[in-house]
Amino acid sequence: FGVSHGAIQFVCYEQLKQYYCGMNGLQLSAQLSSGTYLCLAAMSKLIASSSTYPYQVVRARLMDQQNDFTNMSDVIRRTMHNEGWRGFYKGLVPNLIRVTPATCITFLVYEKLSYALLAGQS
Protein backbone atom coordinates (compact mmCIF):
# COMPACT_ATOMS: atom_id res chain seq x y z
CA PHE A 1 0.00 0.00 0.00
CA GLY A 2 2.88 2.40 0.62
CA VAL A 3 3.92 2.16 -3.00
CA SER A 4 0.33 2.53 -4.22
CA HIS A 5 0.17 6.12 -2.95
CA GLY A 6 2.94 7.22 -5.31
CA ALA A 7 1.53 5.20 -8.18
CA ILE A 8 -1.92 6.73 -7.74
CA GLN A 9 -0.42 10.19 -7.47
CA PHE A 10 1.63 9.92 -10.68
CA VAL A 11 -1.22 8.35 -12.66
CA CYS A 12 -3.64 11.05 -11.47
CA TYR A 13 -1.15 13.79 -12.28
CA GLU A 14 -0.63 12.52 -15.81
CA GLN A 15 -4.36 12.01 -16.36
CA LEU A 16 -5.16 15.49 -15.06
CA LYS A 17 -2.45 16.99 -17.27
CA GLN A 18 -3.79 15.09 -20.29
CA TYR A 19 -7.33 16.25 -19.55
CA TYR A 20 -6.21 19.86 -19.09
CA CYS A 21 -4.27 19.87 -22.35
CA GLY A 22 -7.16 18.25 -24.20
CA MET A 23 -9.70 20.76 -22.87
CA ASN A 24 -7.46 23.67 -23.88
CA GLY A 25 -6.40 22.32 -27.27
CA LEU A 26 -2.75 21.96 -26.24
CA GLN A 27 -0.22 19.28 -27.10
CA LEU A 28 0.74 17.11 -24.16
CA SER A 29 4.33 18.23 -24.66
CA ALA A 30 3.38 21.93 -24.39
CA GLN A 31 4.84 23.89 -21.52
CA LEU A 32 2.08 24.92 -19.13
CA SER A 33 2.14 27.77 -16.66
CA SER A 34 3.71 27.22 -13.25
CA GLY A 35 0.34 27.79 -11.61
CA THR A 36 -1.21 25.05 -13.73
CA TYR A 37 1.50 22.58 -12.77
CA LEU A 38 1.08 23.49 -9.09
CA CYS A 39 -2.72 23.00 -9.27
CA LEU A 40 -2.41 19.67 -11.07
CA ALA A 41 0.14 18.46 -8.52
CA ALA A 42 -2.04 19.55 -5.59
CA MET A 43 -5.10 17.81 -7.02
CA SER A 44 -3.18 14.59 -7.66
CA LYS A 45 -1.83 14.68 -4.09
CA LEU A 46 -5.34 15.20 -2.72
CA ILE A 47 -6.71 12.25 -4.69
CA ALA A 48 -3.83 9.93 -3.79
CA SER A 49 -3.89 10.88 -0.11
CA SER A 50 -7.66 10.55 0.17
CA SER A 51 -7.61 7.09 -1.34
CA THR A 52 -4.69 5.70 0.68
CA TYR A 53 -4.99 7.56 4.00
CA PRO A 54 -7.13 4.91 5.72
CA TYR A 55 -4.22 2.49 5.32
CA GLN A 56 -1.91 5.01 7.01
CA VAL A 57 -4.31 5.33 9.95
CA VAL A 58 -4.60 1.55 10.36
CA ARG A 59 -0.83 1.14 10.14
CA ALA A 60 -0.18 3.90 12.68
CA ARG A 61 -2.69 2.45 15.12
CA LEU A 62 -1.15 -1.00 14.80
CA MET A 63 2.29 0.41 15.62
CA ASP A 64 1.02 2.41 18.61
CA GLN A 65 2.18 0.51 21.70
CA GLN A 66 -0.55 2.06 23.87
CA ASN A 67 -3.33 0.33 21.91
CA ASP A 68 -4.17 -3.31 22.35
CA PHE A 69 -5.15 -4.15 18.78
CA THR A 70 -4.48 -7.74 17.80
CA ASN A 71 -4.35 -7.43 14.01
CA MET A 72 -5.33 -5.30 11.04
CA SER A 73 -8.95 -6.48 10.96
CA ASP A 74 -9.27 -5.67 14.68
CA VAL A 75 -8.11 -2.10 14.02
CA ILE A 76 -10.55 -1.71 11.13
CA ARG A 77 -13.48 -3.20 13.03
CA ARG A 78 -12.92 -1.19 16.21
CA THR A 79 -12.21 2.06 14.39
CA MET A 80 -15.40 1.70 12.36
CA HIS A 81 -17.42 0.80 15.46
CA ASN A 82 -16.05 3.58 17.68
CA GLU A 83 -15.50 6.41 15.20
CA GLY A 84 -17.28 5.51 11.96
CA TRP A 85 -15.71 6.05 8.56
CA ARG A 86 -14.41 9.45 9.66
CA GLY A 87 -11.99 7.70 12.00
CA PHE A 88 -10.04 6.47 8.98
CA TYR A 89 -9.44 10.06 7.85
CA LYS A 90 -8.36 11.55 11.18
CA GLY A 91 -5.44 13.89 10.55
CA LEU A 92 -5.84 14.01 6.76
CA VAL A 93 -6.15 17.80 6.54
CA PRO A 94 -3.05 18.57 8.65
CA ASN A 95 -1.15 15.93 6.69
CA LEU A 96 -2.16 17.52 3.38
CA ILE A 97 -1.18 20.97 4.64
CA ARG A 98 2.23 19.57 5.58
CA VAL A 99 3.05 17.56 2.43
CA THR A 100 1.25 19.29 -0.46
CA PRO A 101 3.64 22.26 -0.84
CA ALA A 102 6.66 19.97 -1.22
CA THR A 103 4.78 17.79 -3.71
CA CYS A 104 3.79 20.82 -5.78
CA ILE A 105 7.36 22.13 -5.88
CA THR A 106 8.69 18.68 -6.82
CA PHE A 107 6.31 18.36 -9.77
CA LEU A 108 6.94 21.94 -10.89
CA VAL A 109 10.72 21.45 -10.88
CA TYR A 110 10.33 18.11 -12.68
CA GLU A 111 8.19 19.67 -15.43
CA LYS A 112 10.42 22.70 -15.90
CA LEU A 113 13.61 20.60 -16.01
CA SER A 114 12.04 18.07 -18.37
CA TYR A 115 10.94 20.82 -20.72
CA ALA A 116 14.36 22.50 -20.61
CA LEU A 117 16.23 19.23 -21.22
CA LEU A 118 13.96 18.17 -24.06
CA ALA A 119 14.16 21.63 -25.65
CA GLY A 120 17.96 21.39 -25.53
CA GLN A 121 17.91 18.11 -27.45
CA SER A 122 16.07 19.51 -30.46
Side-chain angles (χ1 to χ4, degrees):
F1 277 102
V3 175
S4 63
H5 178 87
I8 292 169
Q9 184 176 333
F10 280 106
V11 168
C12 285
Y13 178 79
E14 288 299 325
Q15 290 297 312
L16 288 167
K17 188 166 77 167
Q18 221 172 23
Y19 178 77
Y20 179 85
C21 288
M23 292 298 291
N24 292 294
L26 300 169
Q27 294 287 332
L28 195 54
S29 60
Q31 185 173 25
L32 307 177
S33 71
S34 295
T36 300
Y37 288 130
L38 293 173
C39 287
L40 295 174
M43 286 190 289
S44 69
K45 185 62 165 181
L46 175 67
I47 294 166
S49 293
S50 297
S51 60
T52 61
Y53 200 74
Y55 163 74
Q56 300 292 338
V57 170
V58 170
R59 189 180 71 158
R61 289 181 181 192
L62 271 174
M63 290 190 300
D64 186 2
Q65 297 295 316
Q66 294 176 353
N67 288 321
D68 59 343
F69 296 116
T70 56
N71 56 32
M72 188 180 226
S73 61
D74 185 36
V75 175
I76 294 168
R77 185 178 45 75
R78 287 170 54 185
T79 300
M80 190 62 153
H81 179 265
N82 296 332
E83 303 171 58
W85 64 269
R86 286 182 160 182
F88 294 104
Y89 291 93
K90 247 184 193 169
L92 177 62
V93 173
N95 181 62
L96 286 171
I97 291 170
R98 182 179 58 86
V99 299
T100 302
T103 299
C104 292
I105 291 168
T106 300
F107 275 93
L108 177 63
V109 170
Y110 165 77
E111 291 290 355
K112 295 295 183 177
L113 282 175
S114 293
Y115 188 81
L117 291 172
L118 290 174
Q121 288 180 344
S122 25

